Amino acid sequence: MAKFCNKCGKPLVDGKCSHCEQTEKEVVESTSEENLFIEYLNVLKGMFTHPVATIKKEATAKNLPLGIVSIVICAILFGIFIHVLLSNIFSSVGMDLSVISTMMEQLNTKIAATGLSLPSLSNVGIKMAIMFAIASVIIAGLIYLMHAVIFKKKLDFKKIVSMIGIIEVSFSVLLLAATILSFIHYVLGLIILILAIAFLLVHLHQGILVISTTTKTQTIYTIALCVGIAIIAFTLSLVTVLISSILALSLQTTSTSISSGLGL
């Protein structure tokens, strides 16, 4: 004799109702996504009102998904900001970023036979977003290694990633503001970026103190190492962009001169 579910009335299979199980699974997933969004908004508010208390409450291993989502959001916003910033810088001197990217690709094609290649500005926003995400993970790894190897202290890596994600919530908001202001003038965007970096460093210092048992001096050493590596990476990226831009500008000027000389 077939048995039926007390909730929906459908026949049971091996004593279970596949319909109700699927419905419950969908409800749990929907609730989880909603809670994650609400939690992100709560962290966003807390990081501007009570940052230390917010980091202490939210920077836990169980909040790893929130930390990862925050890092991804921040990376995407950073990539968008860099793209908008470069576009406006080139526009201020009468140049177009897409044209520059195309010219760099053409230049790379010409010198490919030499075995050399120049960094391309093509999809620069995507590249910088990926770099930012990787940098966040590397910084988490450095913090873990400093505590485990140098300071001989235990620290959960999930907790570190969560902490970095939490402090990058406020950085994301400032990046969004910097992107919007860059449309007015790129200098305004750079000013907000500097302010955002200052906030990030302060929050990173507070975050490490909250989740670990290191002293303030040990924390400063950790931040110095992380910041030093980050500065080197982004300085190399900036120099690469500048060199690429200069070469592209030179190529454009040469092409224009040749065209003018030929009367084209």
Side-chain angles (χ1 to χ4, degrees), residues 163-210:
M163 181 271 292
I164 290 178
I166 297 302
I167 67 174
E168 285 185 1
V169 170
S170 55
F171 189 67
S172 297
V173 175
L174 293 174
L175 276 177
L176 181 60
T179 302
I180 295 172
L181 290 176
S182 292
F183 284 104
I184 301 175
H185 199 286
Y186 63 86
V187 174
L188 294 176
L190 288 173
I191 292 174
I192 298 300
L193 177 63
I194 293 172
L195 179 64
I197 293 174
F199 267 97
L200 185 66
L201 292 178
V202 171
H203 289 160
L204 179 61
H205 179 263
Q206 293 173 334
I208 295 176
L209 287 175
V210 166

Side-chain angles (χ1 to χ4, degrees), residues 10-256:
K10 293 184 179 296
L12 299 178
V13 179
D14 295 331
K16 298 179 181 179
C17 178
S18 58
H19 176 266
C20 287
E21 286 185 350
Q22 180 63 27
T23 303
E24 290 175 0
K25 181 180 179 182
E26 291 175 354
V27 170
V28 170
E29 290 177 350
S30 176
T31 304
S32 178
E33 291 176 359
E34 183 180 350
N35 290 340
L36 190 63
F37 177 72
I38 294 175
E39 191 68 23
Y40 186 88
L41 292 180
N42 290 335
V43 170
L44 174 59
K45 178 182 178 181
M47 286 304 295
F48 284 99
T49 55
H50 303 91
V52 176
T54 301
I55 294 173
K56 187 174 183 178
K57 177 184 177 183
E58 304 293 346
T60 59
K62 70 176 184 178
N63 270 343
L64 178 63
L66 176 63
I68 294 175
V69 168
S70 177
I71 291 173
V72 171
I73 291 174
C74 195
I76 293 173
L77 289 173
F78 184 76
I80 293 173
F81 167 73
I82 294 297
H83 179 81
V84 172
L85 180 68
L86 289 178
S87 296
N88 283 279
I89 290 176
F90 288 133
S91 295
S92 66
V93 293
M95 300 173 65
D96 185 84
L97 180 59
S98 60
V99 174
I100 297 299
S101 299
T102 301
M103 297 178 70
M104 291 303 300
E105 293 294 339
Q106 293 173 348
L107 185 58
N108 269 329
T109 301
K110 293 179 180 180
I111 66 173
T114 64
L116 300 175
S117 63
L118 297 172
S120 173
L121 295 180
S122 177
N123 299 320
V124 64
I126 297 176
K127 293 175 181 176
M128 294 305 291
I130 294 174
M131 177 180 289
F132 187 93
I134 293 174
S136 297
V137 176
I138 290 176
I139 288 175
L142 288 173
I143 294 174
Y144 178 81
L145 288 175
M146 285 291 288
H147 283 75
V149 179
I150 306 299
F151 305 140
K152 305 298 182 182
K153 296 179 181 292
K154 293 183 179 180
L155 190 58
D156 191 343
F157 184 75
K158 293 180 180 179
K159 197 172 184 179
I160 299 173
V161 174
S162 178
M163 181 271 292
I164 290 178
I166 297 302
I167 67 174
E168 285 185 1
V169 170
S170 55
F171 189 67
S172 297
V173 175
L174 293 174
L175 276 177
L176 181 60
T179 302
I180 295 172
L181 290 176
S182 292
F183 284 104
I184 301 175
H185 199 286
Y186 63 86
V187 174
L188 294 176
L190 288 173
I191 292 174
I192 298 300
L193 177 63
I194 293 172
L195 179 64
I197 293 174
F199 267 97
L200 185 66
L201 292 178
V202 171
H203 289 160
L204 179 61
H205 179 263
Q206 293 173 334
I208 295 176
L209 287 175
V210 166
I211 67 173
S212 68
T213 56
T214 54
T215 64
K216 290 184 177 180
T217 302
Q218 291 174 328
T219 302
I220 292 174
Y221 289 151
T222 303
I223 293 176
L225 177 62
C226 296
V227 172
I229 293 178
I231 289 176
I232 292 174
F234 284 107
T235 299
L236 290 175
S237 301
L238 180 60
V239 170
T240 297
V241 169
L242 290 175
I243 292 176
S244 300
S245 303
I246 292 171
L247 288 172
L249 179 59
S250 300
L251 183 61
Q252 184 186 46
T253 303
T254 302
S255 300
T256 303

